[in-house]
Amino acid sequence: MTASIESPEPNTPEENPWRVPTESEHERPSPSVSPLNGQDIERIPDSHFKPSKRQLLDKYIKLGVIVLMLVWGSVILVKSLGHLKMHIPPGDDGNDNDNGRYDNSTYTLPDPFITEDGLLKISFNHTRNKTFIPEVHSLQWLNSDINGKDNGLYFTSINDTYLIKSVSDKYYSKILFKGKNITYEGHNLSVESIVASPDLSKLLIKTNSIQNWRHSSFATYFVFNEEDASIQHIGDSIALTEWSPNSIDIAYIQDNNIYLYSTLEKETINQITNDGNSQIFNGKPDWVYEEEVFEDDRTLWWSPDGKHLAYLKIDETNVEEYTIPYFVQEEHEQYPEMRSIKYPKSGTPNPKVELLVYDTEDCTVYQGHINKMHSYESILVTEVKWVGNDKLIAKMTDRSSDILDVIAVDVKKQKTDVVRSEPSNGSWWEITHNTMHIPRNEAKGRSNDGYVDLKPVDGYNHLVYFPTINSTDPIILTSGKWEVVLGPISFDEQLERIYFQATKKSSNERHIYYVNINRPRVIQDVTDTSKPGVYGVTFSSNSKFALLTYQGPKIPYQKIISLDPKDDRDSKKDIVGNKIGKTLYYLEENEALKEKLETYSVPKKTFKEMNLGKDSNGNDIIVNTIEILPDGFDKTLKDYYPVFFYPYGGPNSQQAIQTFSIGFNEVIASQLNAIVVVVDGRGTGYKGISFRSLVRGNLGEYEAVDQISAASIYSKKDFVDSEKIAIFGWSYGGYLTLKTLERDAGATFKYGLAVAPVIDWRFYDSVYTERYMYTPQENLEGYKKSRVENVTSIAQAKRFLLMHGTGDDNVHFQHSLVFLDHLNQAGVENYDVHVFPDSDHSIRYHNAGVIVWDKLLDWTRNAFTGRFATNLR
């Protein structure tokens, strides 16, 4: 569900494999960057604390004795533990335990701490301490140059000093701010984030923030002027701020109205809208647009010259409310706190949306009238992009994402037109936000502003170039049975290269490529495609420098490369990661992590394809999988290993990608001596439109069939105990877990664990659901078939677990309550339930983030050791 019905934002290290910040995160400095209060702290010379030589000698002798004792003690302990094995007997599972005597053919839990060869085991204790999280750095590239040249300027923080540095000039440094706090009217305030103006002369400081929904918050904002070290207070309870490209004005939103603040006038100079209220959102999304459409907290966009501000007006007056009770927010309250949100469920009214453009020079607003450009009852505006200083395009679809309309708005002529309208042809239009402006350049033969977009080409998503804003027939830049991921990343105007990330080598890898805008379909590798890899990249202002991030499958690293042809190419023996360009230096090599892993036994992870058999047309069903084998795996054992399936399976999602991670899956393999399997079945992404669009209008069927097929293959392996195959999922994965148990009826999967599952798609939000299911009015039978309802079939499994947070604003607790009611009516009792008061979809509130994962591990341990009765019906 964009970011929604997919696995929740990782809430503990065991589910938090590292990730590379997105480009939007690079544009706004992260809260971890700590700026200062403009005050230099007097430093006492180090020599003041320098001890005498005698003191140093005594200190080192004592330290040496202590270290020696610790080393010998550790060696003795490790050797002793290496001879121990933790055997927990199976419970009452119908098998004779032979009075506690075990041989190699009897499944036992392993020693939880150490392997037979003396290496440490992976456990929650290690993952929660972030032992295996690689170091990753995000360069916040700046658009400003030094003397008109791209020197690769970026923000960074060193010893509480917030400054600008250059990747090409190691001596260049400009301090913008020092410290962690600011003082205003006698109040000391902690700085949470800083955003520099485009000309770097001023800083926008955020403090006192209060979280709203997933991406939004309210905060107090200040402007710090570097020239005179003055601080200007913009306001409190501000939803968001956005620098104008002119580095003078700031657009901000308060009480759902847009205001314009001038740093020259040091005050708010205009109120752009005045109709904002609890129902009408100007420049910021309501709940469903924040969660499912923009995945961001803002719906306003400055033109490149700062003379116009485009924004959305979202009216949710007709959207129905959903009320969530909160039970444990205030210790002494007798009644729950009731919070209502406008939440459009499938088939119910969506918010109305309109695109407007404000002119800063004459203070007028042009109403784009995009709602008059179509015949649909309800539209979704999914992207807005300036293509030059006075033209922009907007993408909009019908509510089921069947038809994509691209609207061109000319703010100078005050004219709005539909330039192209395209059907999805049996699939759907996925929401993207990566359309890229290609500026006019007469010297390069480009007489108009154009743009690069993502569009299906022969059944796969590829880059296409529209030379003008009104073009209808694009130039196809890439093609083939592979996909460009999300869209273009960067454009080097001088070299005319468009950089992008794609699955050209394999659908479970991500490499970086470029195509010259004048040489379509001639694809050049940027990263080394001879080895498996997943790469992310961000570029400096003119694409001359890049931060290349290798994300797996081996230990990640980061390096700064120069893509300027004047720089010599790396010699072949020095090439690591990048195939072109020159490596300037490594930003991170994660040497500490490499050294640390030498003392651990990490379960072996294999990325591969699996053939699940034939589909209805007689074609092989080839899916991507991950297999994780436990420590000391022995394929000669018979009927021994349990198998733990961990799917997500949502439309256009992907789990089986070759990134580095050591988390919950490895804990299961290490602590339970189990095989962990991840299967990206039909409906998931990056294998072409036909592979994913098969599920449209019929969620839950093909996804479940593929999980069962994969489990059936594993159940026939000699070393697998077919009576101990479990499936676990969260959110859409929780839904898929229950649909799989429902379809399987205990034949293959014996146990299931579902967290925050969807039960009935009528209860989920309209924007996500209708993209894949249409509306209930259009597809009533599909909705009936896709819901989790046949609980007597689910009950054919030995046992299952359900967990949910009562404060879930995404997948409402209503889903699980309806499911429990079905269980009650059917007299089903072979299940367990754990409810987390006031926790949202991520389940973190009041230590829930620890308990939920402990429960999953402990419950699975009980299942695999036979501690559950065979059936409680």
Side-chain angles (χ1 to χ4, degrees), residues 616-631:
S616 58
N617 296 317
N619 299 316
D620 288 334
I621 303 170
I622 308 297
V623 299
N624 291 329
T625 68
I626 301 174
E627 180 187 74
I628 303 175
L629 299 177
D631 306 302

Side-chain angles (χ1 to χ4, degrees), residues 480-603:
K481 293 184 177 181
W482 49 273
E483 298 204 303
V484 173
V485 180
L486 300 179
I489 298 175
S490 186
F491 177 54
D492 186 325
E493 190 169 355
Q494 180 182 352
L495 299 178
E496 299 189 289
R497 294 176 177 176
I498 298 172
Y499 293 95
F500 60 95
Q501 184 191 56
T503 65
K504 187 172 183 291
K505 183 190 173 188
S506 170
S507 57
N508 66 0
E509 295 185 42
R510 299 286 189 275
H511 284 276
I512 310 301
Y513 305 87
Y514 77 81
V515 61
N516 190 294
I517 201 168
N518 296 315
R519 292 193 289 277
R521 309 196 198 209
V522 180
I523 312 302
Q524 301 292 333
D525 298 351
V526 174
T527 53
D528 183 5
T529 57
S530 67
K531 301 179 182 67
V534 175
Y535 291 89
V537 67
T538 61
F539 290 88
S540 61
S541 59
N542 291 332
S543 302
K544 300 303 180 189
F545 304 97
L547 169 60
L548 186 66
T549 302
Y550 171 77
Q551 298 171 262
K554 296 182 179 179
I555 294 176
Y557 60 82
Q558 293 179 291
K559 64 194 307 190
I560 301 294
I561 63 174
S562 170
L563 294 166
D564 192 327
K566 295 178 182 179
D567 286 333
D568 292 331
R569 192 185 204 170
D570 284 340
S571 64
K572 287 186 178 180
K573 66 185 178 78
D574 293 330
I575 291 179
V576 177
N578 57 304
K579 199 170 182 179
I580 66 169
K582 179 181 180 180
T583 299
L584 300 182
Y585 56 87
Y586 282 84
L587 193 65
E588 180 61 63
E589 295 185 79
N590 278 300
E591 292 294 346
L593 178 58
K594 292 177 186 176
E595 184 177 345
K596 202 176 298 180
L597 283 174
E598 291 178 0
T599 62
Y600 287 89
S601 177
V602 180

Side-chain angles (χ1 to χ4, degrees), residues 339-393:
R339 301 179 195 172
S340 294
I341 60 172
K342 292 278 191 170
Y343 186 104
K345 299 203 171 196
S346 302
T348 68
N350 273 350
K352 296 179 180 179
V353 61
E354 186 60 86
L355 174 66
L356 302 99
V357 183
Y358 173 74
D359 189 319
T360 62
E361 293 184 342
D362 59 20
C363 300
T364 59
V365 174
Y366 169 59
Q367 295 190 6
H369 300 295
I370 61 173
N371 279 283
K372 298 180 179 179
M373 300 291 108
H374 62 87
S375 59
Y376 319 134
E377 179 184 349
S378 176
I379 65 167
L380 299 173
V381 176
T382 60
E383 186 175 18
V384 176
K385 181 70 179 183
W386 284 97
V387 183
N389 290 322
D390 50 24
K391 294 183 178 68
L392 59 84
I393 59 170

Side-chain angles (χ1 to χ4, degrees), residues 86-140:
M86 183 178 180
H87 292 298
I88 299 179
D92 183 12
D93 60 355
N95 294 324
D96 185 2
N97 290 331
D98 198 19
N99 296 321
R101 292 186 289 109
Y102 303 93
D103 56 33
N104 287 336
S105 63
T106 304
Y107 170 76
T108 57
L109 292 175
D111 185 311
F113 305 111
I114 199 164
T115 63
E116 291 186 359
D117 54 3
L119 293 174
L120 297 175
K121 300 290 291 290
I122 307 298
S123 71
F124 276 157
N125 288 335
H126 301 120
T127 58
R128 284 171 178 156
N129 291 332
K130 300 185 178 181
T131 304
F132 310 114
I133 305 297
E135 289 291 332
V136 58
H137 309 277
S138 59
L139 294 189
Q140 290 134 14

